[in-house]
Amino acid sequence: MRILVKGAGVAGLTVAHELYARGAEVTVFETSRNFSRAASWLAGGMLAPWCERESADAAVLERGRDAADRWEAILPGRIVRNGTLVLAPNRDRQELRRFADRTTGYRWVDEHEIATLEPSLAGRFRHGLFFPQEAHLNPREVLHSLRDDLSAKGVIFADGIADDGEFADIVDCTGAARIRLSRELRGVRGEMLYLQTQEIALSRPVRLLHPRFPVYIVPRGDGLFMVGATMIETEFGGAITARSLMELLNAAYALHPAFADAAVVETGAGVRPAFPDNLPRVMQEGKTILINGLYRHGFLLAPAMAAEAASLIFSRYDSNRNRPCA
Ligand SMILES: Cc1cc2nc3c(=O)[nH]c(=O)nc-3n(C[C@H](O)[C@H](O)[C@H](O)COP(=O)(O)OP(=O)(O)OC[C@H]3O[C@@H](n4cnc5c(N)ncnc54)[C@H](O)[C@@H]3O)c2cc1C
């Protein structure tokens, strides 16, 4: 059974992994090198379904609650399971209450526990919410590791021209590239930056609530921090704007003033493909299965969507095999 996967972002790589694991012969076709056009490259890597429930449908929590287990099965040892800390400036405590009202799976933490969880933040915040079941991963490490792992197992990675006719099935995971082909898909721009400083150490994602501009900071180790992300209703993928850069830097500074002296080592902007309900879909068009609309939950939900797509493909084979002869 030969299957072509188009797109090597998180959706493409996880479905390639799932199809290979179920015994298919898989080729992955990607038009750009080194993930340079993948939204996945810019992601925070938070597996945070309880926090996301603040603004997301209940289905995101249902489908995403076992994401860390799914990733652990795909790439053992790459998932950090030490929760998410949600904070707000002391004057904005109502933002924490509002967040708490819309979520579950947390406990309130005081200044003392915040300092125990994140010593660098000692004395800076009086109250917070701690979501102990959440996890995170480093998207760039995961994308490289998964591609290398699949390649070592015999999955072919092609970057020339793919001939669809050679394959029994095609799985389209081309993300934002499908926006122009689909009336329902839209783009939601996410801008982010990387800061580097040895003055602060964090061990888990920290979200800073703000009425106008909530942000998160995800530690990558060695003093590197990913700061994200804007949510702008446009499919424009160009460079980060001065306004967004200022807002992200202001928020990082509000979390800890030592970020003022950090080096800005990278900025970027990606386009999150989204359907009107902001939920991802597995769809079928002829012999093509599409996985798209992962919105801000690509790492959280891609393993579950990959399993759903693989089941759909294999069920077609099973029903063809069981069909009585005419
Ligand atoms: C700033 C930011 C932060 C985020 N943080 C998180 C987070 O913390 N947690 C989380 O779960 N999600 C997060 N997301 C969302 C997540 O990144 C996306 O949902 C996810 O990357 C979408 O994955 P994808 O594989 O569908 O698309 P992409 O990663 O965009 O991959 C699509 C690939 O298809 C390729 N392609 C395009 N056209 C073709 C073609 N014709 N043939 C072959 N290949 C093609 C592209 O080059 C690209 O490599 C974040 C997103 C952004 C922008």
Side-chain angles (χ1 to χ4, degrees), residues 11-326:
L13 292 178
T14 49
V15 80
H17 176 273
E18 186 71 28
L19 292 166
Y20 169 83
R22 296 191 192 200
E25 200 181 311
V26 184
T27 297
V28 179
F29 172 61
E30 166 60 56
T31 46
S32 65
R33 282 180 187 270
N34 288 326
F35 306 107
S36 58
R37 296 230 298 271
S40 305
W41 188 249
L42 300 166
M46 294 176 296
L47 308 178
W50 285 272
C51 280
E52 286 298 304
R53 182 70 179 100
E54 185 248 347
S55 58
D57 191 273
V60 171
L61 175 54
E62 272 154 42
R63 288 189 199 172
R65 65 194 316 148
D66 63 353
D69 292 340
R70 288 181 186 268
W71 274 110
E72 190 61 45
I74 296 170
L75 283 175
R78 298 296 179 132
I79 316 306
V80 184
R81 296 172 184 248
N82 61 0
T84 304
L85 185 58
V86 180
L87 301 170
N90 293 333
R91 65 175 184 279
D92 290 331
R93 191 168 176 203
Q94 77 282 359
E95 289 299 316
L96 279 175
R97 284 200 207 93
R98 194 189 55 77
F99 199 91
D101 285 347
R102 300 178 64 90
T103 54
T104 57
Y106 61 83
R107 67 170 187 268
W108 283 94
V109 286
D110 61 11
E111 196 169 342
H112 175 72
E113 197 172 355
I114 293 168
T116 307
L117 288 165
E118 297 293 353
S120 284
L121 301 180
R124 297 199 48 72
F125 297 90
R126 283 204 289 274
H127 307 280
L129 302 168
F130 180 51
F131 291 76
Q133 300 167 84
E134 297 196 332
H136 68 283
L137 50 73
N138 182 330
R140 296 180 177 187
E141 271 179 27
V142 159
L143 292 167
H144 275 296
S145 300
L146 194 46
R147 188 177 64 183
D148 293 349
D149 180 53
L150 289 169
S151 190
K153 285 172 171 156
V155 169
I156 295 165
F157 282 82
D159 56 7
I161 295 172
D163 179 0
D164 293 7
E166 286 178 20
F167 297 88
D169 291 278
I170 295 163
V171 189
D172 185 308
C173 300
T174 56
R178 281 204 72 82
I179 292 174
R180 62 193 155 83
L181 304 172
S182 156
R183 263 185 299 137
E184 282 197 291
L185 263 185
R186 71 185 202 284
V188 182
R189 175 177 163 90
E191 296 154 297
M192 46 71 73
L193 52 98
Y194 272 92
L195 295 178
Q196 188 141 38
T197 172
Q198 301 301 330
E199 300 299 311
I200 307 158
L202 297 175
S203 50
R204 57 181 56 75
V206 178
R207 293 183 182 224
L208 186 67
L209 304 183
H210 186 277
R212 206 164 34 86
F213 208 84
V215 297
Y216 53 80
I217 299 191
V218 189
R220 295 279 192 256
D222 279 341
L224 193 61
F225 299 88
M226 185 270 192
V227 184
T230 56
M231 295 277 292
I232 302 170
E233 291 283 336
T234 171
E235 60 199 66
F236 171 64
I240 191 170
T241 61
R243 177 198 300 270
S244 297
L245 185 58
M246 279 189 295
E247 298 278 18
L248 291 170
L249 289 172
N250 273 338
Y253 180 74
L255 186 72
H256 199 299
F259 278 119
D261 295 316
V264 181
V265 292
E266 183 184 329
T267 62
V271 177
R272 312 172 182 94
F275 287 111
D277 59 3
N278 293 333
L279 292 174
R281 296 183 193 169
V282 171
M283 298 160 294
Q284 187 171 346
E285 280 178 15
K287 73 171 185 177
T288 301
I289 302 288
L290 298 104
I291 305 176
N292 214 318
L294 284 152
Y295 184 48
R296 49 186 279 158
H297 305 126
F299 282 83
L300 179 65
L301 298 180
M305 302 310 288
E308 189 180 325
S311 296
L312 181 60
I313 292 171
F314 277 82
S315 70
R316 293 197 306 195
Y317 278 88
D318 292 343
S319 59
N320 283 346
R321 216 177 22 234
N322 295 334
R323 191 172 293 153
C325 297

